[in-house]
């Protein structure tokens, strides 16, 4: 799997979860959920980039 493919899969999941937050979480707490989702997406990108880079070097 390439980084581009992993990024697109992660971004699609991120967008679906953002839509779920918009409709399911009360609006006074939605900024917390959006912040957590953004941090998790960033962490996913860092980890997937590290794993794919390491796999490429081996």
């Amino acid at each position: 799997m390439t980084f581009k493919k992993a990024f697109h899969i992660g971004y699609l999941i991120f967008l679906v979860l953002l839509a779920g937050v918009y409709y399911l979480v009360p609006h006074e707490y939605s900024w917390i959920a959006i912040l957590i989702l953004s941090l998790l997406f960033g962490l996913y990108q860092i980890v997937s980039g590290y794993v794919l880079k390491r796999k490429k070097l081996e």
Side-chain angles (χ1 to χ4, degrees):
M1 178 183 299
T2 64
F3 180 76
K4 187 175 181 180
K5 187 174 182 181
F7 178 80
H8 288 295
I9 291 170
Y11 191 66
L12 179 65
I13 292 170
F14 176 67
L15 290 178
V16 168
L17 289 175
L18 275 180
V21 163
Y22 181 77
Y23 290 112
L24 298 175
V25 176
H27 289 291
E28 54 268 355
Y29 302 115
S30 63
W31 66 274
I32 295 171
I34 291 171
L35 180 66
I36 291 171
L37 282 177
S38 299
L39 290 173
L40 287 174
F41 180 65
L43 182 65
Y44 168 77
Q45 292 304 312
I46 291 169
V47 170
S48 65
Y50 175 73
V51 169
L52 291 173
K53 184 185 232 183
R54 189 169 165 204
K55 191 181 281 188
K56 187 185 250 185
L57 292 176
E58 292 178 355

